[in-house]
């Protein structure tokens, strides 16, 4: 079967990963490369409905950690089957805003759910599809909070979590990067936007042999 590429962008809220993903996609498209941009939770009509449940501030303090985990996984299962795997097998470059590392960092480190269990449920949700490379944009919790406050947008259910929560989530991302240097590229998300995009593109082009 044909094979494309699957790259994921991660970081705590306010890390700048979505801005970088967009800039990278624009560069790839300008080179005439077919790429699919998508996000988690979301990326399909059903998964976007699940996203609304997960992020609505109306559900603050109403969703149990196990429920939260399963909703993220349900969104992912649908997303992989409907969008990511088909694009990957058409030979496209898939760029996804968050994927499995978000679950390990937020539900594992942040909520304290068992990481081994999360890996098993994730395997069930993804059918074993794993990213080629994950880019983690690391920023301090202070910088992330500053960016969220100055964005002018109201905070969603997750964004309004405590700084202690985000400290644990950040630790989760840092530990994942340390444990898996072949698959995870850790970037300093406080660097300037242009430099960061160039760093990502360098890694990505080398990986796809361009
Ligand atoms: P976003 O705002 O970057 O689109 O991400 C949505 C929120 O969902 C963000 O706060 C991180 C959180 N999240 C999890 O807690 N677990 C997951 O598996 C995913 C994909 C996201």
């Amino acid at each position: 079967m044909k094979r494309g590429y699957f790259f994921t962008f991660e970081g705590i809220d306010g890390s700048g990963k979505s801005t970088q993903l967009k800039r990278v996609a624009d560069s790839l498209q300008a080179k005439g490369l077919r790429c699919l941009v998508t996000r988690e939770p979301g990326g399909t009509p059903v998964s976007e409905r699940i996203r609304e449940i997960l992020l609505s501030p109306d559900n603050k303090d109403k969703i149990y950690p196990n429920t939260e985990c399963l909703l993220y996984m349900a969104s992912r299962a649908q997303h992989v089957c409907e969008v990511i795997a088909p694009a990957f097998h058409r030979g496209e470059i898939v760029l996804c805003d968050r994927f499995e590392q978000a679950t390990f960092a937020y539900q594992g480190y942040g909520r304290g759910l068992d990481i081994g269990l999360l890996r098993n449920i994730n395997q069930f949700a993804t059918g074993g599809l794993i990213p080629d490379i994950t880019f983690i944009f690391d920023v301090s919790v202070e910088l992330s909070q500053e960016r969220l406050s100055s964005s002018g947008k109201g905070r969603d259910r997750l964004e309004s979590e405590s700084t202690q929560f985000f400290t644990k989530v950040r630790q989760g991302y840092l530990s994942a990067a340390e444990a898996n240097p072949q698959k995870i590229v850790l970037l300093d998300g406080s660097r300037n936007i242009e430099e960061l995009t160039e760093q990502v593109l360098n890694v990505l082009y080398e990986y796809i042999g361009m």
Side-chain angles (χ1 to χ4, degrees), residues 110-136:
R111 302 285 189 223
L113 298 186
D114 182 78
I115 305 269
L117 182 64
L118 292 178
R119 285 193 191 286
N120 287 337
I121 308 173
N122 184 62
Q123 161 78 25
F124 177 64
T126 61
L129 182 73
I130 46 170
D132 287 296
I133 293 186
T134 295
F135 297 98
I136 295 181

Side-chain angles (χ1 to χ4, degrees), residues 156-169:
D156 66 31
R157 189 179 66 89
L158 269 290
E159 287 167 347
S160 55
E161 283 292 340
S162 66
T163 54
Q164 291 94 308
F165 177 80
F166 285 113
T167 303
K168 289 190 262 181
V169 174

Side-chain angles (χ1 to χ4, degrees), residues 46-58:
V46 165
S47 307
E48 290 290 334
R49 296 283 293 277
I50 298 173
R51 180 185 176 92
E52 285 166 27
I53 299 172
L54 281 163
L55 300 189
S56 168
D58 295 345

Side-chain angles (χ1 to χ4, degrees), residues 51-180:
R51 180 185 176 92
E52 285 166 27
I53 299 172
L54 281 163
L55 300 189
S56 168
D58 295 345
N59 290 334
K60 181 126 182 76
D61 302 324
K62 288 189 189 148
I63 302 183
Y64 290 95
N66 292 3
T67 313
E68 182 183 86
C69 158
L70 292 171
L71 285 171
Y72 279 112
M73 296 294 192
S75 162
R76 181 163 308 147
Q78 184 70 25
H79 191 202
V80 168
C81 289
E82 193 176 326
V83 173
I84 300 178
F88 182 80
H89 293 302
R90 284 193 303 269
E92 292 180 24
I93 300 173
V94 179
L95 303 180
C96 190
D97 193 332
R98 297 193 185 280
F99 200 65
E100 57 181 18
Q101 292 301 334
T103 312
F104 304 145
Y106 281 76
Q107 280 65 54
Y109 281 73
R111 302 285 189 223
L113 298 186
D114 182 78
I115 305 269
L117 182 64
L118 292 178
R119 285 193 191 286
N120 287 337
I121 308 173
N122 184 62
Q123 161 78 25
F124 177 64
T126 61
L129 182 73
I130 46 170
D132 287 296
I133 293 186
T134 295
F135 297 98
I136 295 181
F137 297 86
D138 178 53
V139 292
S140 67
V141 174
E142 295 72 42
L143 179 57
S144 122
Q145 291 295 315
E146 251 172 65
R147 286 180 177 172
L148 290 177
S149 301
S150 61
S151 75
K153 289 187 261 160
R155 296 191 183 208
D156 66 31
R157 189 179 66 89
L158 269 290
E159 287 167 347
S160 55
E161 283 292 340
S162 66
T163 54
Q164 291 94 308
F165 177 80
F166 285 113
T167 303
K168 289 190 262 181
V169 174
R170 182 186 183 203
Q171 192 49 53
Y173 276 129
L174 293 174
S175 306
E178 200 181 350
N180 211 345

